[in-house]
DNA sequence: CTTTGGATCGTCT
DNA sequence: GACGATCCAAAGG
């Protein structure tokens, strides 16, 4: 991972981050779902209305981790991208556990299946132990938290769709995910990539109820 | 399987 | 004072 690759536009960096690995100490997971947020030009971005104490990290250089607190109980993590000051970022929505499964299960005792450990932006932070204390850390440095490549390339044709949980720009296909990954938070909201899809877009295997 | 509502608090208006 | 870039359990079909 080099910083220059993250200095591109969020719509370029987002699919580029698919299949990269987020590492926190002994824990590691492969990123399988992301969303692009376009700074001042994006009504859904925390930076839409300018710089505040909360979103200050987004205005920093590419490669920083922007962590925010929401719904009174959840942390979510973004990779800052674009040129410094552009306040663009990519939300890490879901990942596939690679290492440190024990620690992840300890952090998320409610999760049953492995694919449920990191299949959501807040679940991912919970499983990896990412909190507000990590806001502003450099993911390309030599700290506990790092963003690395293990050689697995992004998908040739990532699945795309509208972002989750945002009213503004609901028509924009700014969510990207690895087609067919069992760890994606919402496998499909429009076009199925594998098997059949029910009305709410959740995966469903023929004749089975899990 | 689907839908609903509760939890819970920092941030910005 | 209102409302989230969410998650989960419980209740209803």
């Amino acid at each position: 991972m080099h910083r220059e690759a993250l200095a591109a536009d969020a719509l370029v960096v987002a699919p580029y981050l698919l299949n990269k690995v987020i590492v926190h100490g002994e824990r590691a997971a492969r990123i399988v779902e992301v969303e692009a947020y376009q700074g001042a030009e994006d009504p859904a971005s925390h930076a839409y209305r300018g710089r505040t104490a909360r979103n200050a990290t987004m205005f920093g250089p590419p490669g920083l981790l922007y962590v925010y607190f929401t719904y009174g109980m959840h942390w979510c993590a973004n990779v800052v991208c674009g040129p410094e000051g552009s306040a663009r970022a990519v939300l890490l929505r879901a990942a596939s556990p690679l290492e440190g499964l024990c620690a992840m299960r300890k952090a998320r005792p409610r999760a049953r299946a492995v694919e449920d450990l990191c299949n959501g932006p807040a679940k991912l932070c919970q499983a990896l132990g990412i909190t507000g204390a990590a806001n502003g850390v450099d993911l390309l440095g030599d700290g506990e938290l790092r963003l690395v490549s293990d050689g697995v390339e992004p998908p040739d044709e990532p699945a795309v769709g509208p972002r989750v949980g945002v009213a503004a720009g609901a028509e924009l296909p700014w969510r990207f995910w690895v087609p067919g990954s069992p760890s994606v938070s919402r496998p499909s909201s429009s076009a199925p990539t594998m098997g059949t899809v029910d009305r709410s877009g959740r995966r469903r295997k023929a004749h089975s109820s899990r």
Side-chain angles (χ1 to χ4, degrees), chain A residues 27 89 98 135 156 180 205:
Chain A
R27 289 174 259 189
L98 293 175
N135 182 40
D156 289 332
K205 260 188 167 178

Side-chain angles (χ1 to χ4, degrees), chain A residues 78-89:
Chain A
N78 298 250
V79 176
V80 174
C81 66
E84 178 164 1
S86 65
R88 299 178 195 284

Side-chain angles (χ1 to χ4, degrees), chain A residues 91-182:
Chain A
L91 171 70
L92 303 181
R93 278 201 59 89
S96 178
L98 293 175
E99 292 177 46
L101 280 277
C102 294
M104 292 188 192
R105 287 194 177 285
K106 208 173 284 184
R108 289 185 40 73
R110 297 243 191 75
R112 304 295 294 157
V114 174
E115 59 263 30
D116 292 333
L117 284 170
C118 304
N119 63 343
K123 297 178 190 177
L124 182 157
C125 285
Q126 215 175 339
L128 285 166
I130 296 174
T131 69
N135 182 40
V137 306
D138 185 4
L139 291 170
L140 304 186
D142 55 0
E144 288 276 288
L145 264 167
R146 298 190 332 274
L147 182 62
V148 304
S149 170
D150 65 353
V152 177
E153 298 292 322
D156 289 332
E157 295 186 18
V160 302
R163 294 177 294 185
V164 176
V166 303
E171 74 288 353
L172 302 168
W174 288 359
R175 169 174 172 249
F176 304 82
W177 68 96
V178 176
S181 169

